[in-house]
Amino acid sequence: MYKLILSIITLFFSLCSTSQTLITGKIVDAKSRQPLDAAVIQQAGKNNIKTLTDDYGEFSIKVENDVAPLIVSYIGYRPDTINLSGKTNLLISLRPDVVNLKDIIITQNAGQQKFAALARVDLDLKPVRNTQELMRLVPGLFVAQHAGGGKAEQIFLRGFDCDHGTDIAVSVDGLPVNMVSHAHGQGYADAHFIIPETVNNIDYGTGPYYTQEGNLNTAGYVNFSTYNNIPKSRVQLEGGLFNTYRALAMIDLLKRNKDKQSAYFAGEYNYTNGPTVNPQKFSKINLFGKYNLALSSNTQLTASLSAFTSKWNASGQIPERAVDKGLIGRFGSIDPSEGGNTRRYNANIMLKSKIANGTTWENQVYYTKNFFSLYSNFTFFLLDPENGDEIHQAESRNMVGYLSKLSHKRYFKNWSLNSIYGAGFRYDATDSTVLAHAEKRQLLNYFNLGKIKELNAFGYVEEQINFGKWSIDAGLRFDYFHFNYLDQLRAQLPAQGKNIVSPKLNIQYSINPGVQLYVKGGKGFHSNDSRVVVGNSGYDILPAALGADLGIVLKPSEQLLINLAVWYLHLQQEFVYNGDDAALIPGGATVRKGVDIIARYQFSQNLFANVDINITNPKTLNEAKGHDFIGLAPTTTSTGGLFYKRREGINGSMSYRYIANRSANEDNSIIAKGYFILDGAINYSKEKFEIGLAFENILNSEWNEAQFATESRLKNEPEAITQLNYTPGIPFFARLKLAVFF
C-alpha cells in the first residue's frame, strides 16, 4: 500500500513537471540600491504570467520559454524590458521616473493584493509632515488628537472607534506600535516616534483576514516600512503659525559599496504652542538609525535603533455649555494643568537567509523601553468638588518579542504553491502601572497600582496557491495568552491563560487584466486588558471578530483604478477596562455592515485625483431599537483631492477630509458633529533643494476634532450634566518649508 501511494505521488508530480524555465532575480533602485518590493514582472505577451517582488526586491517566475522578454515595472520608476538570452538569475536596476497609474497592474498573486502600489502613489503625491498625516493615507482611516499633541491619536476605521488602537494593529518594520494593557487604554498606539520622511511604504488591510496579523487586528492593520537606504541626504527647516517649528536631518552614512552595506541617521525636533489660550509647549525629539549588511550572498542583516521623547501641556476636552455661557472661549480650558510626557526607545534586528531554492528563513527580535505619564481631567468637579477630578496615568514598560518565519515557494506545470510557517512570542512587563487622583499634577491618592506581565505566544501556517486566473490564500493561526496582574493595593487574584484559533481564507479571480473579483473571510480578535482578564477570572477575555468582504478591483483604462467592497463584521461579547476610572464595563456583541469605495484617476502625466468613500451601519445587538447606537462610531467618511506632481518645478495639492454627524451615545440623543476640512500645499522642487508652503483648514472652519458624550460638573454647578465635550480642531494654519538635498 505504501509503495502504491508513493507511486501515485511520483506520477502526479511528474505530470506537473514542465520544461519551463525558472527565472529568479532581484530588482533595486539604480542609485540607492534600495530593493524594490511589489515590483511587477511579467513575460511579454503573456498576461497570465506575472509575479511580484517580495519585501527584499527578490522574485521567481516560471516562463514558457527564453525568447519572450520580461517587462519590469514599478510605481515611480521607468519600466524596463529584459531580454533573457539564456540568463536565469537577474539583477535589475530601475531608475526613478514620474508616478504613473499604468504601473499598477492587477495580479493573481495570493496574499499580495494589499494596495502596496496604491500606497506608494499616495505617499509620492502627498508627502507627509507628521504621523497624523501618515495614518490618514490609509483609505477610510480617521484620527483625532485631544491632549495637546503628545498623546496617541484616537483612531476611527470601518465603523469602529478604535480608541487609541484597540481594534487596529499598527507596526513599523515589524515592531509593534500598540501597547497592550496600557495605563491609558488597551492597544495604545503612539506612533509619534516615527519620522515621516523615513517611511518608504505603507502596507495596510481592512478586516480580520490576514494570517500574519494577530492581536488587535479586527477593523484592520497598518504596517509602516522605513527605508533601508535613503535616496538622498537632506536637511530641512520648517516654521509656521502658533510658534510652530521643526528641524529635520537625514544623513546617508555610507555612500559607497551600497550592494554590500548601507546606513543612515535621521533626527527631528518639533515645537508648537498650538492655537489654545494655554500654550501647549509641545516639544518632541526623534532619533533613528538603520544599518544593512550583506553577510553573504544569501544572508542579509538589518538593525535599527530609535529614541523618542516628548512633553506637552493640554487644554483638555471642554463642555459645550462652558463655551456657550462665555466661561471660556473655544480654545480655553477648565483645568490648565493637564498634559504629560513620554519616552520610547526601540531596538530591532532582522536576519533573512535563503537556505535553499525557493526557501527563505526570516528571524526578528525586538525590544522596547517605554515611559508614560499623563494628567487628564474629563469630569472636572464631579467626584471631588473641592480638589477636582484630575487623574494621573503612568507606567514604565519593557517589551520584548521574537518572530521566526519560513517561506517555501514551489513551481509546478500550471500552478505555484507558497507555504509560510511562522512562530514567535511577545512579552510585556510594566512596573507600577498607576491610576491616581491628582491636583495640579500633585498626587492625592491611588485608585489603582500594580504590575502587569502579559505573554502572547503564537504560531501560524499559510498556504498561497496560484493557478491560472485563480489565487487562494488560506491560513490558520493559534494564539496563547498568559495574563498576570500583581495588585499592590488589593488582594492578589490568580493569573489566567487563554488561547484562540483564527482561520482565514482569501480568494481572488482575475477575469482579465482589468477586472479582478475577490472574497475574504476570517476570524480575528483583540485581547482585553490584563486587569480585566484577572478581575473577570478569565471569562470572555478574547472577543472574536468574524468578518467577510466581497469586492471587485477594476482597471478599465491605464488611467483609472477602482476598488469596491461590501463587508460585514460581527464582534463578540467583550469586557472593557476604562483606564480613566478603573471601572470594569461589560459590553455586548456588535455588528457592522458597510461599503468601501477607493478610486484613483490620472488626468495627464502630472495631474492626479483620488477619492475614498466609506459608508457603515454600526449597531449593538440585543438592544432595543433606538438604543442600539455605538457611541462615536463613524457612519460616513470620505477623503480625496487633486494632485499636481513633477520631479522638478512646481508641485501642488488640494485635499479634503469629511466625516458626517454621528451618535455620541447609545440612544442618539447627543450628536458628535461632522466636519469638512480643506488642506493644500505648493512646492517648488529641484534636484538640490525644495521650498514649500502647506496650509491646513484653508476655509478656517470651526470644527471639533475629538468629541465625547461626558458627564461632568463645573466648579459652581449644583448637578452633573451629560453633554458633548470636545477638543476644538485647528483653525487656519500655514507652514513654510525649506529642504536641501545632497
Side-chain angles (χ1 to χ4, degrees):
M1 185 66 179
Y2 171 77
K3 291 183 178 179
L4 177 61
I5 295 174
L6 183 62
S7 299
I8 293 173
I9 294 174
T10 303
L11 176 62
F12 173 78
F13 280 103
S14 66
L15 291 173
C16 290
S17 64
T18 178
S19 58
Q20 290 177 326
T21 303
L22 180 66
I23 307 297
T24 61
K26 184 174 183 178
I27 300 177
V28 300
D29 181 291
K31 185 174 181 181
S32 71
R33 314 307 294 176
Q34 173 87 17
L36 303 178
D37 65 303
V40 179
I41 304 96
Q42 60 181 328
Q43 190 173 22
K46 308 289 183 179
N47 285 327
N48 62 327
I49 303 179
K50 302 175 185 174
T51 192
L52 303 179
T53 54
D54 61 18
D55 293 342
Y56 298 86
E58 298 176 353
F59 70 91
S60 298
I61 184 171
K62 211 151 196 179
V63 298
E64 291 186 355
N65 53 64
D66 61 357
V67 176
L70 294 182
I71 299 174
V72 181
S73 60
Y74 189 76
I75 293 294
Y77 284 77
R78 191 175 305 152
D80 200 1
T81 301
I82 309 298
N83 294 311
L84 297 176
S85 302
K87 293 177 288 187
T88 59
N89 189 268
L90 307 170
L91 177 61
I92 303 169
S93 301
L94 298 183
R95 297 190 175 277
D97 201 358
V98 294
V99 170
N100 203 317
L101 280 182
K102 73 178 182 180
D103 294 329
I104 297 182
I105 298 174
I106 297 176
T107 72
Q108 81 280 15
N109 293 70
Q112 298 194 47
Q113 189 67 16
K114 299 180 181 177
F115 304 102
L118 193 63
R120 282 192 190 86
V121 172
D122 294 343
L123 194 57
D124 187 84
L125 292 177
K126 189 181 179 182
V128 297
R129 298 174 293 273
N130 54 54
T131 52
Q132 281 194 2
E133 293 181 0
L134 269 178
M135 299 291 282
R136 287 177 184 149
L137 286 177
V138 176
L141 191 152
F142 270 62
V143 297
Q145 177 59 253
H146 60 103
K151 192 169 68 172
E153 282 79 18
Q154 188 181 8
I155 303 173
F156 303 92
L157 179 66
R158 275 206 163 183
F160 278 85
D161 170 11
C162 301
D163 194 24
H164 298 289
T166 305
D167 289 288
I168 181 170
V170 185
S171 65
V172 53
D173 293 334
L175 172 76
V177 175
N178 303 78
M179 297 288 181
V180 293
S181 303
H182 188 268
H184 189 65
Q186 173 67 338
Y188 186 82
D190 184 357
H192 291 116
F193 67 90
I194 302 173
I195 300 175
E197 286 81 0
T198 65
V199 173
N200 180 42
N201 195 28
I202 306 173
D203 175 28
Y204 54 82
T206 47
Y209 315 122
Y210 315 100
T211 308
Q212 299 181 46
E213 301 297 327
N215 193 15
L216 310 176
N217 174 215
T218 52
Y221 76 91
V222 180
N223 292 337
F224 298 104
S225 298
T226 61
Y227 282 102
N228 284 339
N229 182 16
I230 57 176
K232 293 180 180 179
S233 296
R234 71 159 67 185
V235 173
Q236 183 170 310
L237 298 175
E238 302 176 27
L241 299 176
F242 314 125
N243 289 321
T244 300
Y245 309 100
R246 181 175 185 245
L248 167 73
M250 292 177 61
I251 309 298
D252 189 345
L253 301 176
L254 296 173
K255 293 191 175 184
R256 296 182 179 179
N257 200 25
K258 288 183 177 291
D259 288 325
K260 298 295 182 181
Q261 60 180 340
S262 63
Y264 69 93
F265 167 81
E268 70 165 341
Y269 172 75
N270 290 265
Y271 181 87
T272 185
N273 280 333
T276 53
V277 175
N278 180 38
Q280 294 174 4
K281 296 183 179 179
F282 171 59
S283 63
K284 179 178 74 170
I285 297 174
N286 266 331
L287 303 175
F288 178 74
K290 196 171 187 180
Y291 176 67
N292 280 278
L293 175 64
L295 297 174
S296 70
S297 59
N298 294 323
T299 304
Q300 186 78 25
L301 173 70
T302 303
S304 63
L305 295 171
S306 65
F308 157 73
T309 180
S310 71
K311 60 181 180 179
W312 67 95
N313 297 323
S315 294
Q317 298 146 208
I318 57 175
E320 281 186 318
R321 63 187 183 278
V323 178
D324 294 341
K325 293 178 180 179
L327 301 178
I328 59 172
R330 270 182 57 83
F331 294 97
S333 62
I334 302 297
D335 184 349
S337 66
E338 295 188 52
N341 63 83
T342 185
R343 304 190 306 276
R344 178 167 177 159
Y345 307 96
N346 302 302
N348 194 12
I349 299 175
M350 291 178 281
L351 185 70
K352 180 187 177 185
S353 301
K354 290 189 290 184
I355 57 178
N357 288 335
T359 302
T360 60
W361 187 23
E362 299 179 43
N363 289 275
Q364 178 180 13
V365 61
Y366 57 82
Y367 170 76
T368 291
K369 179 70 174 180
N370 189 72
F371 300 91
F372 174 85
S373 176
L374 178 69
Y375 293 90
S376 307
N377 193 341
F378 304 112
T379 55
F380 310 118
F381 294 93
L382 174 66
L383 303 175
D384 188 336
E386 182 65 28
N387 301 305
D389 299 345
E390 184 175 282
I391 60 173
H392 181 214
Q393 296 164 320
E395 69 165 52
S396 173
R397 175 185 301 261
N398 289 287
M399 178 181 75
V400 62
Y402 170 72
L403 171 65
S404 181
K405 183 172 71 173
L406 186 71
S407 303
H408 181 47
K409 193 165 189 178
R410 287 158 286 181
Y411 293 88
F412 305 101
K413 184 176 182 180
N414 296 314
W415 60 289
S416 66
L417 174 65
N418 187 24
S419 301
I420 303 173
Y421 310 97
F425 73 89
R426 168 180 170 171
Y427 179 71
D428 290 70
T430 71
D431 182 28
S432 297
T433 299
V434 173
L435 175 62
H437 185 199
E439 181 185 17
K440 297 180 180 179
R441 302 195 184 188
Q442 298 298 313
L443 178 67
L444 296 179
N445 60 276
Y446 288 106
F447 295 137
N448 260 11
L449 178 65
K451 298 181 180 181
I452 294 171
K453 292 180 174 61
E454 183 172 324
L455 171 69
N456 174 203
F458 58 86
Y460 61 83
V461 58
E462 184 175 5
E463 300 290 348
Q464 300 173 348
I465 306 170
N466 297 297
F467 57 97
K469 297 182 178 182
W470 290 90
S471 174
I472 300 175
D473 185 340
L476 190 66
R477 183 183 179 94
F478 173 83
D479 285 84
Y480 170 77
F481 287 84
H482 188 267
F483 305 90
N484 186 34
Y485 177 56
L486 176 60
D487 195 326
Q488 296 173 275
L489 299 180
R490 303 170 185 88
Q492 180 64 33
L493 295 174
Q496 301 291 333
K498 194 78 171 179
N499 61 70
I500 188 169
V501 177
S502 306
K504 322 275 186 175
L505 180 64
N506 299 270
I507 301 174
Q508 300 172 1
Y509 178 71
S510 300
I511 297 176
N512 57 50
V515 181
Q516 183 182 80
L517 303 175
Y518 65 86
V519 60
K520 302 179 181 181
K523 175 183 175 182
F525 69 95
H526 74 244
S527 66
N528 279 316
D529 190 289
S530 289
R531 290 159 288 191
V532 173
V533 174
V534 172
N536 200 45
S537 301
Y539 293 106
D540 297 318
I541 60 175
L542 291 179
L546 306 172
D549 270 40
L550 177 63
I552 183 171
V553 182
L554 300 171
K555 203 163 191 294
S557 69
E558 291 185 339
Q559 294 79 31
L560 177 63
L561 176 72
I562 300 172
N563 182 87
L564 173 66
V566 293
W567 57 272
Y568 171 93
L569 194 143
H570 175 270
L571 186 64
Q572 294 177 340
Q573 168 72 31
E574 60 178 315
F575 282 85
V576 179
Y577 176 82
N578 185 354
D580 298 335
D581 60 9
L584 187 66
I585 304 172
T590 61
V591 64
R592 293 165 172 83
K593 306 171 187 177
V595 177
D596 292 343
I597 302 171
I598 299 173
R600 303 291 183 268
Y601 186 72
Q602 185 172 357
F603 292 98
S604 65
Q605 182 180 9
N606 305 112
L607 185 61
F608 300 78
N610 68 29
V611 63
D612 301 321
I613 302 172
N614 310 94
I615 302 171
T616 307
N617 181 24
K619 293 294 181 181
T620 299
L621 297 178
N622 305 318
E623 295 289 345
K625 188 175 181 180
H627 294 268
D628 56 353
F629 292 87
I630 302 176
L632 301 179
T635 56
T636 303
T637 64
S638 180
T639 59
L642 288 172
F643 306 89
Y644 184 74
K645 179 70 176 181
R646 298 172 62 192
R647 290 198 65 195
E648 291 194 0
I650 297 293
N651 297 278
S653 66
M654 188 73 70
S655 60
Y656 76 88
R657 60 186 188 273
Y658 165 79
I659 186 168
N661 288 350
R662 63 198 193 277
S663 177
N665 59 352
E666 293 75 12
D667 61 3
N668 202 33
S669 59
I670 300 176
I671 301 298
K673 299 175 182 178
Y675 55 80
F676 177 90
I677 302 299
L678 193 64
D679 301 326
I682 186 168
N683 302 292
Y684 181 74
S685 305
K686 299 293 287 185
E687 183 179 358
K688 297 294 185 181
F689 70 91
E690 181 176 76
I691 299 174
L693 190 59
F695 305 94
E696 295 182 41
N697 194 3
I698 293 174
L699 302 178
N700 199 26
S701 301
E702 190 174 280
W703 62 293
N704 299 338
E705 186 165 10
Q707 307 177 72
F708 302 89
T710 304
E711 182 185 20
S712 64
R713 184 168 61 181
L714 301 180
K715 181 67 174 177
N716 296 314
E717 287 182 331
E719 296 181 351
I721 298 175
T722 300
Q723 67 170 188
L724 191 73
N725 286 21
Y726 64 86
T727 299
I730 191 169
F732 174 81
F733 176 77
R735 179 196 317 229
L736 181 66
K737 174 186 73 176
L738 171 63
V740 177
F741 310 110
F742 55 95

